[in-house]
Amino acid sequence: MTTVLIVDDQPLQRFGFRMLLESVPGTEVAGEAAHGAEAVRKAAELRPDVVLMDVRMPGMDGIEATRRIVATGGRSRILVLTTFDLDEYAHAALRAGASGFLLKDARPEELLAGIRAVAAGDAVIAPALTRRLLDAYARHLPHRSTADAETDPRLRALTDREREILVAIGQGWSNGEIAARLVLSQSTVKTHVGRVLAKIGARDRIQAVIFAYDFGLARPNSAA
């Protein structure tokens, strides 16, 4: 059973999400919240698998709520809902620790698939879309210097192959693409990806992409 906390300041929007989630076996609505502060409180109280998080809300917005929920180190993963796929708010939410985002006009089956993916520990943004998002806002990222990259203990802990895998992740390649280009089996790539995420402290693939951008290992249009 996947439990979901619905966070949105629009009652009709929350009602629609509840109706959809309650119609699907294996999904349960743990609760609702109308603003960020309430979301933080209820996430701590209910410990849902997934928090379906609106971004623009009065008072504490979804970005700050995401940051606070993730900072607790709890089990809840955040799936952000936004109006535009290249919305700067969605980018900020990903940096705050969200596991992905979907458009509010996503089809019901896309939303349900996204919730299941996040609950399973995966990211819900396709690699190409992740690259589009970061390419659009890369100029705002606080890139570290080459010296920072060479001395950072997380990067130093990576083997040459793992660093190569991190660069590929940053370029937006899927596991299949990495396997084909590096002549590895997909199971081997999956193992390497898991080790990379663990060593750099990334919750998921999206956070690894942001990490690669931060250290200058990936650049806009680097995979073009």
Side-chain angles (χ1 to χ4, degrees), residues 204-219:
D204 52 43
R205 200 181 191 95
I206 293 174
Q207 299 302 310
V209 173
I210 293 174
F211 182 92
Y213 267 67
D214 278 350
F215 280 97
L217 302 178
R219 285 285 188 263

Side-chain angles (χ1 to χ4, degrees), residues 47-68:
R47 301 180 70 246
D49 297 309
V50 177
V51 178
L52 200 58
M53 182 74 76
D54 187 21
V55 173
R56 297 170 181 170
M57 296 179 290
M60 184 189 297
D61 63 16
I63 296 170
E64 181 60 26
T66 294
R67 184 177 295 110
R68 295 191 185 193

Side-chain angles (χ1 to χ4, degrees), residues 95-116:
R95 289 187 62 80
S99 293
F101 75 91
L102 290 174
L103 301 181
K104 278 196 171 183
D105 62 357
R107 296 191 303 273
E109 60 269 25
E110 291 176 329
L111 176 60
L112 293 171
I115 290 172
R116 287 193 293 269

Side-chain angles (χ1 to χ4, degrees), residues 41-175:
R41 184 173 67 253
K42 287 198 171 182
E45 174 188 342
L46 301 172
R47 301 180 70 246
D49 297 309
V50 177
V51 178
L52 200 58
M53 182 74 76
D54 187 21
V55 173
R56 297 170 181 170
M57 296 179 290
M60 184 189 297
D61 63 16
I63 296 170
E64 181 60 26
T66 294
R67 184 177 295 110
R68 295 191 185 193
I69 291 172
V70 171
T72 67
R75 58 179 291 178
S76 301
R77 291 182 173 268
I78 316 297
L79 175 56
V80 171
L81 294 176
T82 185
T83 305
F84 304 105
D85 62 351
L86 292 180
D87 190 340
E88 65 209 69
Y89 293 100
H91 173 260
L94 292 176
R95 289 187 62 80
S99 293
F101 75 91
L102 290 174
L103 301 181
K104 278 196 171 183
D105 62 357
R107 296 191 303 273
E109 60 269 25
E110 291 176 329
L111 176 60
L112 293 171
I115 290 172
R116 287 193 293 269
V118 169
D122 296 327
V124 302
I125 305 178
L129 186 54
T130 302
R131 187 165 62 246
R132 279 179 55 205
L133 177 70
L134 290 175
D135 285 353
Y137 295 102
R139 63 183 180 277
H140 299 303
L141 294 175
H143 293 308
R144 295 171 171 84
S145 68
T146 302
D148 288 335
E150 294 306 319
T151 59
D152 188 279
R154 293 167 296 179
L155 281 176
R156 289 173 63 86
L158 299 178
T159 65
D160 290 342
R161 174 63 82 184
E162 289 166 353
R163 184 163 179 148
E164 191 175 21
I165 295 291
L166 174 59
V167 171
I169 293 173
Q171 290 175 329
W173 296 359
S174 67
N175 282 2

